[in-house]
Amino acid sequence: MERLKRYLDYIEDPDNELVGNHTRLAAKRFRIMETLFEFRREGVEDFIFFAEECCGFQLMPFQVFLAAIIFGFYHVGTNNRVVKEFILFGSRKIGKTAIISLINLFIEQSTDLEDVELYTCATKREQAQILVRSINKVVQRYDPDEEILEANKNDIKNKHSLSFIRAMANNSMKSDGLEPLVATFDEISAYENYDMVGVLESGMVTTFATGQSLILKLTTANFNIEYPFHAELERYRLMLQGKLEEEEGEEDDYSTFPLLYEMDDPDMWESPQGWAQACPALDIHPVNDDFSLAPINFYYRRLAKAKKSGLDKLDFKVKNCNLFTRDNTTSFVELEYWDECKRLFEEDMFYDRKCIMGFDLSSTSDLTSINLFYLPTDEDPFFRTKVFAFTTQKYFEEHRGTLQKFLDDGELIIMGERTINELKLLDFIEELINDNLIVSLSYDRWGAKLLIKKIIDRVGDLVDIVEEYKQTSQHLTAPIKYLKKLILDGSIAQDGNGLMRWCMGNVNLEVYDSGNVRMSKTKSSGKIDPVIALVNAVGRYIDLEELEGNLIDEDSMLVI
């Protein structure tokens, strides 16, 4: 238990700037509990032995502290554990999933109760399955021959009893008759409601009497301060401050233990001290001298990206600094980086050069846009982009002040009075197809399906290379991030088109709790249709690369 003593001494030091106030208060709460309850070293040592000797994991000091909180305290003279609800709030890269997987499997294997139920819950079943897969990895180390446990996609079953660990979604409809011994809520700050929390807690009535039931809540901050966890977080802070009864009129029986790793001041988001407060696994903590999950250089790299773009800044502050933010929209890219991509265009650069055509079509109010995305060649290492934009006379008159310059410069074409003249558009597209080596045509299904059919009817040999590009955040995230990478590192060349520059500056991204993003027309400051056409083309390029086995490294996509 030397690691526990060393860690407590470390976080209790009032002069330690690498430890946040609420983490320090967690140590104080631990000390108070030592005076009120029975602390059994053997319970903690059993878990450490299981994790390190049976499963081959090396626990960090803060994880030993976590284990001591859950498995160390008992009501005097009983086998009833004190802590029934444990909350871990910290940044990404601290090994939350691994430690929670070990806890679930340890309880399933060590309990003297028969036929126990353990549930892992997330906003979607797929996310809950991720945690089950993490537990599966522990099972592979603990029971490689599956003599005891059977690991499946949605659950892990004990072969010698009816016990299981099962994944569930927060919106699951099949929730009757559950009697969980353990309920784990992954990334609970992203839960829009606590319906499943209520269901599983109410199902614990039977198992609560055993003194072994446990609720685990683990999460990083997110973009939704209106969701229940954000309000609950304030209650946890009051609990650590010893003000719960004074402020809320609620008696603290120490059955709930929040372990909060957060910055004392949100303005510390650019400092290593702030990062350390939010991330107990950071390698600059002296107690992590033997083993660390989060190198400080990773944070410096993320900070450098954050200073270049609003998207990366928002992402860094929420996920790496564990700071809630009220706004989940951010600009796409600073225009200075787009301007630096302006390069000379000569017609002979595009002869017999592979190209992907991206569409974003409209009939009345938006800009109908076509983007030609040219792939690099041996002679020219740059991706190159050309944009063509069309509008109606009616829309132009309504927005003449903004659009006149683009019309004068030949960057905007009026094609129809009140709606886009489809016949003229088809003629224009056919000419582009004939003049370029099109390897794929990528379109947004909305408003385009009939037009695409007519294009195929005209140019029959396109039928095998026309692909719809779905406009969900799940599909759009990769091309948006890859396009941003191309812009930031100067790998894409643009011809100085003023309309495209204006649209690029208008783009705002909507960021989701999953880390996915999409360009939002409603939250952007102006028209963005030509940029969306480019994103559709980039998305198709990524798909083609993967089909041909040339996988694009996700680490290069400004991934979260």
Side-chain angles (χ1 to χ4, degrees):
M1 300 295 284
E2 178 59 31
R3 277 181 290 179
L4 175 61
K5 179 182 182 303
R6 187 183 177 201
Y7 188 70
L8 281 168
D9 290 343
Y10 176 72
I11 63 176
E12 286 176 318
D13 181 357
D15 298 322
N16 189 348
E17 295 182 349
L18 302 182
V19 174
N21 184 52
H22 286 116
T23 305
R24 194 170 286 112
L25 289 174
K28 180 179 179 182
R29 185 176 181 84
F30 187 93
R31 295 301 192 192
I32 293 172
M33 291 177 67
E34 285 182 316
T35 67
L36 298 176
F37 307 103
E38 183 179 345
F39 184 76
R40 299 180 185 172
R41 292 169 53 103
E42 62 272 19
V44 185
E45 289 171 345
D46 286 348
F47 173 77
I48 294 173
F49 182 84
F50 176 82
E52 297 189 334
E53 301 300 326
C54 299
C55 300
F57 282 80
Q58 183 176 353
L59 298 181
M60 300 187 67
F62 90 92
Q63 294 171 327
V64 173
F65 179 47
L66 181 159
I69 293 167
I70 295 173
F71 298 112
F73 292 105
Y74 286 78
H75 291 281
V76 178
T78 75
N79 287 321
N80 295 343
R81 287 200 300 264
V82 174
V83 175
K84 307 291 186 184
E85 179 182 23
F86 177 81
I87 300 91
L88 178 59
F89 180 58
S91 72
R92 296 289 174 92
K93 300 285 185 182
I94 66 171
K96 292 192 296 287
T97 302
I99 190 68
I100 294 302
S101 300
L102 288 165
I103 289 171
N104 272 271
L105 192 59
F106 173 71
I107 291 176
E108 193 282 326
Q109 285 292 287
S110 63
T111 182
D112 55 2
L113 302 175
E114 295 183 356
D115 305 335
V116 296
E117 303 172 15
L118 298 87
Y119 294 95
T120 67
C121 188
T123 53
K124 297 180 180 179
R125 176 176 289 274
E126 293 79 9
Q127 290 170 299
Q129 288 171 341
I130 291 174
L131 187 52
V132 170
R133 285 202 297 272
S134 176
I135 301 173
N136 281 342
K137 292 178 181 178
V138 179
V139 170
Q140 290 168 13
R141 296 186 181 196
Y142 173 69
D143 183 26
D145 298 325
E146 293 195 0
E147 296 178 355
I148 306 170
L149 300 164
E150 176 187 335
N152 304 297
K153 179 180 179 182
N154 294 315
D155 59 27
I156 296 160
K157 298 177 181 177
N158 192 311
K159 292 184 174 181
H160 305 291
S161 71
L162 298 178
S163 297
F164 59 79
I165 304 171
R166 182 165 297 160
M168 293 191 70
N170 189 41
N171 59 359
S172 175
M173 303 301 293
K174 299 177 181 179
S175 54
D176 295 333
L178 307 182
E179 294 185 359
L181 180 67
V182 178
T184 301
F185 300 99
D186 189 24
E187 293 301 338
I188 195 169
S189 66
Y191 288 31
E192 188 173 357
N193 59 66
Y194 269 13
D195 292 351
M196 185 53 67
V197 177
V199 167
L200 292 177
E201 285 183 347
S202 64
M204 283 184 159
V205 172
T206 302
T207 59
F208 188 84
T210 67
Q212 297 183 41
S213 64
L214 180 63
I215 295 171
L216 296 168
K217 297 177 180 179
L218 59 153
T219 193
T220 299
N222 67 22
F223 309 103
N224 294 299
I225 64 172
E226 297 82 10
Y227 286 3
F229 180 80
H230 189 265
E232 197 173 45
L233 183 59
E234 187 55 36
R235 174 176 171 267
Y236 296 144
R237 289 167 179 154
L238 290 173
M239 188 178 292
L240 290 171
Q241 294 163 12
K243 298 179 180 179
L244 189 61
E245 187 169 2
E246 175 187 340
E247 298 288 338
E248 302 288 335
E250 180 182 345
E251 184 179 355
D252 186 0
D253 62 1
Y254 293 90
S255 62
T256 297
F257 199 112
L259 182 54
L260 311 182
Y261 291 101
E262 54 183 344
M263 296 181 182
D264 289 338
D265 186 340
D267 289 338
M268 300 174 70
W269 71 274
E270 295 183 73
S271 74
Q273 290 81 8
W275 307 337
Q277 290 179 7
C279 181
L282 203 62
D283 59 6
I284 63 172
H285 287 290
V287 289
N288 295 338
D289 52 2
D290 296 329
F291 173 58
S292 173
L293 295 173
I296 189 69
N297 287 339
F298 169 81
Y299 273 77
Y300 279 118
R301 290 196 302 271
R302 295 288 289 120
L303 178 64
K305 288 182 178 180
K307 289 182 175 181
K308 287 184 176 181
S309 76
L311 170 61
D312 291 297
K313 179 179 178 180
L314 186 64
D315 187 71
F316 179 67
K317 291 177 74 171
V318 171
K319 296 183 177 179
N320 298 113
C321 299
N322 202 28
L323 296 171
F324 277 92
T325 178
R326 187 178 297 272
D327 187 12
N328 71 328
T329 59
T330 183
S331 61
F332 173 50
V333 70
E334 299 296 329
L335 281 178
E336 63 181 282
Y337 296 105
W338 178 250
D339 292 341
E340 289 174 2
C341 293
K342 182 179 177 181
R343 291 183 174 84
L344 179 66
F345 273 48
E346 296 178 350
E347 284 306 312
D348 61 359
M349 292 178 174
F350 306 104
Y351 177 74
D352 207 26
R353 181 170 181 164
K354 290 182 179 179
C355 168
I356 298 172
M357 181 181 286
F359 286 106
D360 187 55
L361 301 181
S362 170
S363 60
T364 56
S365 59
D366 284 334
L367 302 179
T368 285
S369 302
I370 302 171
N371 202 293
L372 297 182
F373 184 60
Y374 296 91
L375 309 189
T377 66
D378 292 339
E379 295 76 24
D380 180 9
F382 297 107
F383 291 90
R384 290 183 179 266
T385 174
K386 287 183 181 179
V387 64
F388 305 91
F390 314 88
T391 191
T392 64
Q393 185 68 45
K394 180 177 183 295
Y395 186 79
F396 173 76
E397 294 297 342
E398 292 171 348
H399 301 85
R400 179 184 290 272
T402 301
L403 301 178
Q404 183 68 57
K405 182 181 185 304
F406 306 134
L407 184 70
D408 293 342
D409 292 342
E411 297 165 348
L412 179 64
I413 301 171
I414 294 178
M415 191 174 280
E417 290 296 323
R418 293 180 175 273
T419 61
I420 293 292
N421 186 311
E422 189 177 271
L423 186 60
K424 288 184 177 180
L425 182 61
L426 281 169
D427 289 341
F428 192 96
I429 293 171
E430 184 176 6
E431 185 176 347
L432 285 178
I433 291 171
N434 290 332
D435 291 344
N436 291 275
L437 180 56
I438 307 292
V439 296
S440 187
L441 191 153
S442 180
Y443 69 96
D444 169 4
R445 181 178 184 180
W446 192 91
K449 197 169 184 180
L450 184 58
L451 182 69
I452 295 298
K453 183 178 183 303
K454 292 179 180 179
I455 294 173
I456 293 173
D457 289 342
R458 283 199 180 198
V459 190
D461 57 355
L462 284 180
V463 66
D464 294 329
I465 61 172
V466 173
E467 287 287 340
E468 173 194 352
Y469 201 79
K470 294 181 180 179
Q471 301 297 293
T472 65
S473 63
Q474 181 179 355
H475 289 87
L476 291 170
T477 296
I480 287 172
K481 291 185 175 182
Y482 192 65
L483 174 59
K484 184 168 186 175
K485 173 196 176 295
L486 296 179
I487 295 170
L488 292 181
D489 65 18
S491 298
I492 190 169
Q494 51 97 356
D495 60 1
N497 184 294
L499 175 64
M500 186 64 167
R501 184 183 190 276
W502 173 63
C503 293
M504 191 67 71
N506 290 337
V507 176
N508 273 336
L509 299 179
E510 196 165 5
V511 186
Y512 298 88
D513 296 327
S514 61
N516 291 337
V517 297
R518 63 178 296 166
M519 293 181 173
S520 172
K521 288 189 175 183
T522 58
K523 295 184 179 180
S524 293
S525 57
K527 293 301 174 185
I528 62 173
D529 311 272
V531 186
I532 291 176
L534 175 56
V535 167
N536 288 338
V538 173
R540 184 60 185 145
Y541 164 72
I542 293 173
D543 289 347
L544 290 173
E545 286 291 287
E546 292 180 350
L547 284 172
E548 294 173 8
N550 302 321
L551 296 182
I552 294 176
D553 182 6
E554 288 196 355
D555 288 337
S556 73
M557 284 192 194
L558 302 175
V559 247
I560 293 160

